[in-house]
Amino acid sequence: MMKIKTPKKGRVKRELDKRAPKLVETGKKTLILQGTKTSGTLNSVLSEIYHLKKGGAVRFTRKNDNIRPFESGGETSLEFFSLKTDCSIFVYGSHSKKRPNNLVIGRMYDHHVYDLVEVGVENFKSIESFTYDKKIAPRVGSKPFIAFVGEGFENVDELKHLKEVLLDLLRGKVVENINLAGLDRAYVCTAISSNKVYLTHCALRLKKSGTVVPRMELVEVGPSMDLVVRRHRLPNEGLRKEAMKTAKDQPKKKVKNVSSDAIQGTIGKIYIPDQKVGEMALPNKAKGVKRERREAKNKDANEHASKKQKEESE
Amino acid sequence: METENQNPFQLDVGNLLAFNPFHNFPSLPTSRDELVKECLQEGTKLVQAVADSLFNLPSTEDVDGPLVKLPPPTTKLPREKHLPKPKPPTKWEEFAKKKGIKKRKKDKVVWDEQTGTWKRRFGYDRVNDDKDIPIIEAKMTDEPGEDPFAKRQDDKKKRVEKQEKNRFQNLKQAAKLGALPSHVQLAATALPITGTQVPPKKVTKDELGNVAGMAATSTASGGKFDRKLPGEKPAKKQGKHRKFLPVVEGSGIGSREKEQTENVLNKLISKHSHEILNVDKAVTMYNVKKEKKARNRKNQEGRSSSTSNKLKPKKQLHKKGAKRGPGSSKKGKA
């Protein structure tokens, strides 16, 4: 016996529709949580990441000791949380002797773990330790510039993966129109060595220059840290292919009057409009034309005749 | 002559992203500050490059500032959820397509002939409501004693049920293809019915305990050495129930040992004794035999005329009493 369950309230229906899979996706929500043990630095790292992503992030403050992202059974809790909070990126922090100040950044596809990157945080400087002019402080939720520097991001596999994950984490909502006056932050990631990345968050100061484009000036405001790549797990090929499918890959526009066949190849249809027989010109000479000719001939003949007469008279 | 600007960076204006794949640190700067400064310098260059292309895009003036339409992002990132599958057409939609029936726009209010006002098409105060009909004319096809108003209501109920069933079938079909609308869930209400229609009876805790105890006593040692599950309590009445006679007891009529031996002896000897006759048992046995014989005779006669059996009055009422006579005489004979 099955029955149909539909929400009775419009608010619930709207929430469910928000969580439904869409053709074109806007930003992903982030889930920030921690494991059994965290250090002071790690706590501040997690809370500052939460501040940076205030609009689209969920922060859990309790410890979760049954989450082990890199083990096969330890992801069920993560997937459950992702399902309930509708978050597709998670940042999981934990601290142990073997992996101090550990951050696991992972992504989900259909609320199952898609890929993971494990980094260690070193040389962390929090927002409070930076002094700057408060007027240029970036507003919450503004779209950031993201800059990646270093050939490591191109050559080293792990750094390439980290670049993709960081882009996903930092970029925020995907928007069509942007207000140029609201650009005030930038993230800079430099590959210092083959496994270390220096990540910092800066405010933008736009200075007048001669042209339309203002001169950019970066002032470090936000947290800055060194990320040491420890482990990573790439998605398996089939899952990756499926996740990368976009709506544009499916041909929407069909060229009209063209069809293709296996035997004959491409066939086009040409539609010829109806002939309006009454309005067509006849191929044979019209009667009027004949008359004209006749008249012209007569005129010539008359002229000749008149000329002769004249000559005769003269 | 180079007319176009050779940009060594990889730009993705849609994401406000810039990537410089050519920079490398030949030697790490010694101090942290130096490192930070160099990183910021490189970052500034990249951000400037993005801003160049961004500010050169056509912009519209808005209240807060110039609004620019971003190009679509070029870096491909994985989706967070699967692509939505298109909804399969419902049975009605397929039928309409086949027949060429087009949807027509319906008005919210309809003219009601009966009251002469505009009424809703459905809902509270609607057109053609069942309860507004005062009189229903009787037709030749109507059965007498049938309430036409109730019949109309029943018909409506049936129609609604049919519609619900069809809707459910459509949703099941959509769910099979994975295209269920996001706000709808199909949930199971009760367990599937297997075997008889009786729902499984809930067994109480006491009953379970009793059953376990009964199973235990069937073992030779009375359940004392059975392996118990963790948390299982010991059985209430353990061990086999055996009664032993006391060691010292007075002899006489009340002595239990004498009783025991007497019972055993009686059972052994009774097979060859003539004195034993259970009178009551003999009487009932005789009566039963007699009745059976009479019934058999009756059946053989009556089988030829089976219908008359129904209407014949029962004659056998007083027979049992009369039987007492020969029964009592039997005692004398034995």
Side-chain angles (χ1 to χ4, degrees):
Chain A
M1 274 298 287
M2 302 252 264
K3 68 170 185 177
I4 306 166
K5 274 168 73 170
T6 45
K8 295 248 167 69
K9 292 239 188 283
R11 173 173 55 91
V12 180
K13 180 171 185 280
R14 281 191 290 271
E15 272 301 319
L16 283 173
D17 281 339
K18 262 192 225 169
R19 295 191 177 196
K22 298 182 200 73
L23 218 59
V24 177
E25 282 186 342
T26 56
K28 304 184 183 179
K29 272 171 53 176
T30 312
L31 177 65
I32 305 172
L33 62 158
Q34 52 210 58
T36 13
K37 199 161 92 159
T38 48
S39 58
T41 43
L42 203 63
N43 275 335
S44 34
V45 167
L46 290 174
S47 45
E48 295 200 355
I49 294 179
Y50 176 61
H51 280 308
L52 288 177
K53 295 210 73 184
K54 208 45 177 290
V58 178
R59 173 104 164 94
F60 284 177
T61 40
R62 285 219 193 137
K63 63 176 188 167
N64 307 293
D65 38 358
N66 53 348
I67 294 184
R68 281 169 225 289
F70 279 89
E71 281 166 45
S72 61
E75 308 161 335
T76 45
S77 228
L78 273 175
E79 292 177 359
F80 176 71
F81 290 146
S82 157
L83 185 66
K84 287 294 172 179
T85 57
D86 194 32
C87 289
S88 300
I89 313 183
F90 68 87
V91 176
Y92 170 76
S94 67
H95 178 80
S96 69
K97 210 158 177 190
K98 189 171 172 193
R99 299 176 217 278
N101 294 332
N102 203 26
L103 269 186
V104 179
I105 311 174
R107 291 186 289 186
M108 301 272 192
Y109 177 72
D110 257 351
H111 302 294
H112 294 295
V113 168
Y114 175 74
D115 64 356
L116 304 161
V117 174
E118 189 177 48
V119 288
V121 175
E122 290 173 9
N123 297 330
F124 174 69
K125 283 178 81 178
S126 84
I127 297 180
E128 283 96 43
S129 60
F130 288 97
T131 52
Y132 53 91
D133 187 10
K134 295 297 176 201
K135 277 189 234 165
I136 55 168
R139 316 273 280 284
V140 173
S142 55
K143 195 151 168 76
F145 281 95
I146 311 178
F148 286 97
V149 180
E151 58 177 13
F153 283 122
E154 182 100 348
N155 304 334
V156 183
D157 221 6
E158 294 163 325
L159 290 187
K160 245 200 304 198
H161 191 203
L162 181 65
K163 172 169 170 281
E164 202 188 317
V165 174
L166 279 179
L167 174 62
D168 224 344
L169 179 70
L170 300 171
R171 89 176 154 152
K173 276 200 153 83
V174 182
V175 285
E176 275 223 358
N177 300 320
I178 193 168
N179 187 355
L180 294 176
L183 295 168
D184 50 6
R185 58 164 83 191
Y187 290 99
V188 179
C189 318
T190 14
I192 307 173
S193 70
S194 65
N195 66 342
K196 225 185 210 184
V197 168
Y198 174 66
L199 170 68
T200 178
H201 172 236
C202 312
L204 281 182
R205 200 187 265 154
L206 309 172
K207 287 230 165 110
K208 275 207 191 313
S209 77
T211 61
V212 182
V213 185
R215 198 160 59 85
M216 296 284 175
E217 204 180 290
L218 262 63
V219 178
E220 256 198 298
V221 295
S224 78
M225 55 191 102
D226 277 355
L227 301 174
V228 179
V229 178
R230 290 187 182 146
R231 288 188 284 185
H232 76 127
R233 195 208 284 179
L234 288 166
N236 46 348
E237 249 335 285
L239 195 59
R240 201 185 81 85
K241 274 216 181 92
E242 208 193 313
M244 289 296 201
K245 268 197 256 186
T246 52
K248 290 208 185 101
D249 291 348
Q250 294 150 9
K252 262 185 137 175
K253 277 279 178 191
K254 207 176 81 116
V255 185
K256 281 188 170 182
N257 298 324
V258 170
S259 62
S260 62
D261 205 357
I263 303 167
Q264 293 165 313
T266 323
I267 306 171
K269 277 189 190 166
I270 306 174
Y271 290 95
I272 304 174
D274 286 342
Q275 284 184 322
K276 292 200 175 75
V277 183
E279 293 163 25
M280 267 182 11
L282 286 172
N284 305 326
K285 295 271 190 296
K287 206 168 186 184
V289 175
K290 275 192 190 162
R291 196 188 336 141
E292 257 180 79
R293 255 225 167 155
R294 213 186 320 138
E295 278 181 8
K297 240 200 234 169
N298 285 344
K299 220 164 126 192
D300 274 335
N302 283 344
E303 272 183 28
H304 274 295
S306 62
K307 266 191 182 166
K308 270 188 182 165
Q309 278 180 355
K310 267 190 183 168
E311 283 172 19
E312 280 175 23
S313 63
E314 273 184 300
Chain B
M1 195 162 8
E2 284 181 13
T3 44
E4 57 172 307
N5 205 352
Q6 286 279 354
N7 206 349
F9 309 143
Q10 288 174 9
L11 292 179
D12 179 4
V13 187
N15 271 328
L16 298 182
L17 170 73
F19 175 38
N20 180 3
F22 300 111
H23 179 90
N24 69 335
F25 287 95
S27 62
L28 268 178
T30 42
S31 81
R32 182 109 183 131
D33 286 333
E34 290 279 326
L35 179 69
V36 171
K37 211 159 59 169
E38 194 170 340
C39 293
L40 281 185
Q41 266 175 4
E42 293 295 322
T44 323
K45 282 190 229 166
L46 284 169
V47 173
Q48 191 68 53
V50 179
D52 279 340
S53 39
L54 190 66
F55 279 80
N56 285 326
L57 289 170
S59 70
T60 58
E61 269 302 314
D62 201 41
V63 179
D64 305 317
L67 216 62
V68 159
K69 187 161 163 24
L70 281 177
T74 50
T75 3
K76 279 186 92 179
L77 287 168
R79 287 178 62 96
E80 62 171 327
K81 294 188 183 123
H82 59 268
L83 277 166
K85 295 198 185 75
K87 214 168 67 130
T90 59
K91 300 248 333 242
W92 167 253
E93 280 172 7
E94 279 173 9
F95 178 75
K97 203 164 71 166
K98 196 172 69 164
K99 287 276 185 166
I101 302 171
K102 290 213 181 358
K103 267 198 210 180
R104 256 183 240 164
K105 185 122 174 97
K106 298 186 180 80
D107 293 328
K108 231 199 297 203
V109 282
V110 186
W111 178 253
D112 184 20
E113 288 296 336
Q114 210 176 18
T115 53
T117 53
W118 289 94
K119 283 200 173 173
R120 272 169 256 239
R121 183 179 286 276
F122 55 85
Y124 164 61
D125 182 26
R126 61 177 175 265
V127 208
N128 295 335
D129 199 0
D130 270 353
K131 56 181 170 59
D132 285 341
I133 305 173
I135 305 166
I136 301 180
E137 307 259 345
K139 289 195 282 199
M140 295 300 286
T141 49
D142 279 348
E143 267 187 40
E146 195 189 337
D147 183 6
F149 298 99
K151 187 165 175 292
R152 277 182 77 99
Q153 280 190 340
D154 281 337
D155 283 343
K156 178 162 183 183
K157 265 210 186 119
K158 283 208 193 84
R159 271 181 280 135
V160 169
E161 267 177 30
K162 180 175 179 284
Q163 178 54 31
E164 273 300 311
K165 190 166 74 86
N166 287 345
R167 176 177 172 230
F168 184 64
Q169 290 297 331
N170 282 330
L171 284 173
K172 264 212 308 204
Q173 182 64 22
K176 201 164 72 167
L177 296 173
L180 201 61
S182 58
H183 52 270
V184 176
Q185 275 178 307
L186 292 177
T189 47
L191 292 170
I193 300 170
T194 53
T196 60
Q197 299 266 342
V198 177
K201 204 175 74 163
K202 282 202 176 154
V203 190
T204 57
K205 201 163 63 170
D206 302 331
E207 273 181 45
L208 275 176
N210 285 345
V211 164
M214 274 191 263
T217 50
S218 64
T219 52
S221 57
K224 213 156 77 167
F225 299 111
D226 284 346
R227 198 180 303 148
K228 286 210 184 337
L229 289 169
E232 193 182 327
K233 293 195 187 124
K236 276 185 224 142
K237 280 182 163 190
Q238 259 187 342
K240 286 231 179 274
H241 307 305
R242 282 189 70 182
K243 208 162 70 164
F244 293 105
L245 293 172
V247 176
V248 176
E249 203 192 355
S251 60
I253 307 171
S255 67
R256 276 172 268 177
E257 197 175 341
K258 206 170 175 189
E259 264 180 51
Q260 266 190 347
T261 37
E262 226 182 277
N263 286 338
V264 170
L265 277 173
N266 280 340
K267 277 197 187 145
L268 283 172
I269 301 168
S270 69
K271 273 190 183 167
H272 306 285
S273 156
H274 301 285
E275 293 292 328
I276 298 173
L277 171 68
N278 192 346
V279 179
D280 298 314
K281 208 166 182 183
V283 167
T284 26
M285 274 174 73
Y286 182 71
N287 283 341
V288 164
K289 235 193 223 172
K290 260 268 164 99
E291 278 175 33
K292 233 187 193 172
K293 223 197 275 178
R295 215 183 301 136
N296 281 341
R297 227 187 296 132
K298 253 282 153 66
N299 275 343
Q300 277 170 6
E301 283 177 51
R303 216 157 270 174
S304 47
S305 59
S306 53
T307 46
S308 53
N309 262 345
K310 266 192 198 169
L311 300 172
K312 254 191 193 167
K314 296 204 170 157
K315 274 199 211 162
Q316 302 175 24
L317 288 169
H318 52 272
K319 253 196 180 172
K320 237 187 182 169
K323 283 284 171 190
R324 281 263 160 201
S328 48
S329 63
K330 250 233 160 151
K331 190 180 176 185
K333 276 187 193 172

